[in-house]
Amino acid sequence: MSKTVITAEGLGKSYMIGHRQKESYSTLRDVLTSIPRQWWSRLRNPQYHTHENIEEFWALKEVDFEIKQGDRVGIIGRNGAGKSTLLKILSRIIEPTTGKVKIAGRVASLLEVGTGFHPELTGRENVFLNGAILGMGRIDIKKKFDEIIDFAEVEKFLDTPVKRYSSGMYVRLAFAVAAHLEPEILIVDEVLAVGDVSFQKKCIGKMGDVAKGGRTIIFVSHKMDAIRRLCQQTILIEKGEIIKLGPTEKVINHYLAGTGLRSALNDRGPAPDKRMHLRSVKLLDKTWTGKDHFTRNEMGYVEVIYDINAQLKNVHIVCHVVDNEDRVIVSTGDCDVNQRLHSERSPDSYKATFQIPTEILNEGEYSLTFSLGIPYGTIYDQVPNAVRFNLSDLRSEGGPEYMQKRPGLVIKDIQWETEKALKKDMA
C-alpha cells in the first residue's frame, strides 16, 4: 500500500485587497491642503488608507485532500479559481492563512518562468544552484548535468547569463532541472504553455517517465488532453473550493459541462429576416445523449435544426470541423451525397443529422462552424465555433510510445502485414 506524501487539512488563504473609491473633481488647492491631513492620519493610524475600502478575499477555502506516493494528480479550473495559490502553498512559497499541509519528500516546483533562477548567473551556474536548492549534492548534479542540458537544448547558451534568455529558454532549462534531479514530488503549473509545441510534448513524455519511476506528480493545465494522458486523478477547483475530486475522465467531463459553449448551441430563436437561419446544434452519442468528449473508436453525431424562410433553390448547409489552431480539418455538406437537396426547398424548419468523423481525427479539441447559403455564393447565416468537443485516442494509454499526441492533422489506421524476410527479399 502506497504511503501518503501530501495531506491538506482545512487549507485556506486570504488576502486583503483595497478598492479605491471614486473621487470627485478636486482643485489644486484641495489636493495641496489634503496632503498634511493624510500624513497626520497615517501617523496616528498605520492602517489608514486614503480613498480605499479594504476587503478580505479568500483565494482558497477549506481545502482537504490526500495524495499518495506515485500518484499523478491534475488540477483544473478557470483562471482565478485558486490553482496557483494552492501550488504555492504546496511548494512552501507562501503560508496558508488557515489549516495545514504535511509533505513527505523533496519537492521540485516549476510555477512560473525563471522560478529559482538568479538572472545574473549563467545557465550552467543556475543548474547547480537549483540542484542545491532541491537538496542535491554537487556530485549528483554533475552526473545528471549532460542529460539536463541535452533535454533543455540550450548548450550553445550555457555560459550566458540567464537574464538574456528568452522565456522559452528559461522554461526549457528550469523544467529540465526540476525533472532530472529526481525529486520525490514534482509540481508543474501552466508555465509549460510558454514553450513551443514540440517541447510541450517532450515535457509530457518526461513527466510520464518520472511517474513510472514511482514519483508523485501534480500538474496544472488548461489542456484537457495533457491532463487525460498524464493524470490518474484530478481535482477541480472553483472559487477557491474543491468542487470535485476523482478519476480524471469524470472530473474533466464535469468541468467541461459547466464551461458554457460545449455540447449544445441552444435554440437561437426565429429570424424571419434571414432566408436561412441556424436554430440549434447538439453533439450526441449513440444513445442520443448530449456529450462533449469522444474517443476515436466511438460513434458521435451532430443534430442541426435550421429554418428556411423563403422558397429557395441550390442551397445547402455546410459544417467545418476546425482544430484549436483554427485550421479546417474536414468539411461536409448536406448535399454532398443527397443531391436531391439541390432542388427547390419550401419554407419550413428542418432537422439534419450526420456522424462526426472520429475515425480520422487526431486527438485534440475541435469546434464546428456552420454556413448556410448558396455554394460559392451568398451566405445567409454563419455560426463559427457553434459547439466544441474533445477527442482522445485510447492508444495514448497503451505505453510510452503513445504518451504524446501522434503527429499529423488526421489519423488513418492502415493495415500492415508483417512476415519474416526471405533472402530473395533482401537481394
Side-chain angles (χ1 to χ4, degrees):
M1 184 175 179
S2 300
K3 70 174 184 178
T4 300
V5 294
I6 298 178
T7 303
E9 299 176 358
L11 278 187
K13 182 63 180 177
S14 70
Y15 297 95
M16 304 305 293
I17 57 176
H19 301 288
R20 292 190 66 85
Q21 298 175 356
K22 186 176 180 180
E23 298 182 15
S24 59
Y25 173 77
S26 299
T27 65
L28 177 60
R29 184 180 64 181
D30 294 333
V31 173
L32 292 175
T33 56
S34 68
I35 291 174
R37 288 199 302 268
Q38 292 175 17
W39 279 106
W40 178 246
S41 298
R42 286 195 180 97
L43 288 172
R44 295 180 62 189
N45 180 12
Q47 301 300 317
Y48 173 83
H49 292 271
T50 306
H51 304 301
E52 287 189 359
N53 291 326
I54 305 302
E55 176 190 353
E56 187 175 28
F57 170 74
W58 286 87
L60 288 178
K61 293 180 286 186
E62 293 297 323
V63 170
D64 298 280
F65 60 86
E66 282 190 356
I67 297 176
K68 296 189 178 297
Q69 182 180 353
D71 283 356
R72 305 190 300 273
V73 180
I75 300 179
I76 60 175
R78 293 179 174 86
N79 290 330
K83 305 184 298 295
S84 295
T85 300
L86 176 57
L87 295 194
K88 288 177 181 177
I89 291 175
L90 296 180
S91 303
R92 308 291 196 191
I93 295 173
I94 60 176
E95 290 292 326
T97 305
T98 62
K100 59 183 178 179
V101 59
K102 300 176 183 176
I103 300 177
R106 186 169 59 243
V107 177
S109 303
L110 187 58
L111 306 185
E112 56 188 45
V113 176
T115 300
F117 276 19
H118 192 294
E120 299 296 334
L121 299 181
T122 65
R124 184 190 304 275
E125 292 165 336
N126 271 295
V127 169
F128 285 93
L129 174 63
N130 263 246
I133 290 172
L134 293 174
M136 303 291 291
R138 189 173 183 83
I139 294 175
D140 294 327
I141 299 171
K142 278 186 174 181
K143 288 179 182 178
K144 293 281 186 177
F145 187 83
D146 291 340
E147 193 176 343
I148 290 170
I149 301 307
D150 288 342
F151 187 93
E153 301 171 6
V154 294
E155 184 176 3
K156 184 177 179 181
F157 308 98
L158 193 54
D159 295 307
T160 301
V162 297
K163 67 181 180 182
R164 297 194 176 97
Y165 283 16
S166 68
S167 58
M169 292 166 64
Y170 249 116
V171 168
R172 290 205 300 271
L173 187 57
F175 180 86
V177 173
H180 285 81
L181 293 183
E182 301 182 350
E184 282 84 7
I185 302 168
L186 177 61
I187 299 176
V188 182
D189 202 348
E190 189 68 82
V191 65
L192 291 184
V194 176
D196 55 56
V197 174
S198 62
F199 185 73
Q200 291 175 31
K201 294 177 181 178
K202 193 175 179 180
C203 290
I204 295 293
K206 180 60 182 177
M207 285 191 286
D209 295 339
V210 170
K212 286 182 174 65
R215 300 183 189 91
T216 303
I217 291 180
I218 301 174
F219 180 44
V220 168
S221 180
H222 288 287
K223 296 186 176 181
M224 298 301 107
D225 292 328
I227 294 285
R228 281 190 177 100
R229 284 200 296 273
L230 183 66
C231 303
Q232 308 152 313
Q233 301 284 313
T234 295
I235 298 171
L236 171 60
I237 298 180
E238 287 184 12
K239 296 180 180 178
E241 300 181 71
I242 292 181
I243 301 301
K244 197 170 184 64
L245 188 160
T248 292
E249 191 62 36
K250 289 185 178 180
V251 176
I252 288 179
N253 287 339
H254 180 86
Y255 171 60
L256 294 179
T259 56
L261 187 64
R262 275 294 161 194
S263 63
L265 173 68
N266 295 323
D267 191 352
R268 300 168 70 213
D273 57 319
K274 291 183 180 180
R275 294 196 165 197
M276 293 183 76
H277 173 62
L278 184 70
R279 291 290 292 262
S280 66
V281 182
K282 294 179 182 177
L283 296 175
L284 307 166
D285 64 13
K286 62 182 179 181
T287 66
W288 302 106
T289 303
K291 192 169 184 179
D292 52 37
H293 175 251
F294 300 90
T295 58
R296 287 192 62 247
N297 63 347
E298 182 179 11
M299 297 179 71
Y301 299 91
V302 182
E303 178 189 276
V304 185
I305 295 178
Y306 61 98
D307 295 337
I308 294 182
N309 297 316
Q311 201 76 18
L312 297 176
K313 191 174 183 179
N314 292 329
V315 294
H316 68 174
I317 176 170
V318 170
C319 173
H320 295 308
V321 180
V322 183
D323 69 5
N324 59 3
E325 296 184 29
D326 290 328
R327 295 175 297 197
V328 177
I329 305 304
V330 65
S331 62
T332 180
D334 60 348
C335 295
D336 289 349
V337 177
N338 194 351
Q339 296 295 320
R340 69 178 178 81
L341 291 175
H342 280 299
S343 61
E344 198 165 26
R345 297 201 220 183
S346 302
D348 211 333
S349 294
Y350 294 84
K351 181 173 79 171
T353 307
F354 63 93
Q355 187 175 341
I356 301 171
T358 54
E359 74 282 358
I360 65 168
L361 296 178
N362 205 340
E363 66 178 334
E365 187 172 284
Y366 296 90
S367 63
L368 303 183
T369 291
F370 290 88
S371 296
L372 295 79
I374 300 173
Y376 307 106
T378 304
I379 300 297
Y380 297 126
D381 194 13
Q382 191 168 44
V383 182
N385 304 317
V387 290
R388 195 178 298 275
F389 67 93
N390 277 278
L391 186 75
S392 62
D393 189 346
L394 292 179
R395 293 173 299 187
S396 295
E397 302 169 7
E401 65 272 23
Y402 292 125
M403 282 299 295
Q404 300 177 11
K405 176 181 174 181
R406 282 191 171 198
L409 296 180
V410 297
I411 291 179
K412 174 64 177 174
D413 291 328
I414 299 171
Q415 185 66 41
W416 287 44
E417 293 184 5
T418 305
E419 58 185 11
K420 290 185 177 180
L422 303 175
K423 288 185 177 179
K424 66 176 184 177
D425 297 320
M426 297 182 283

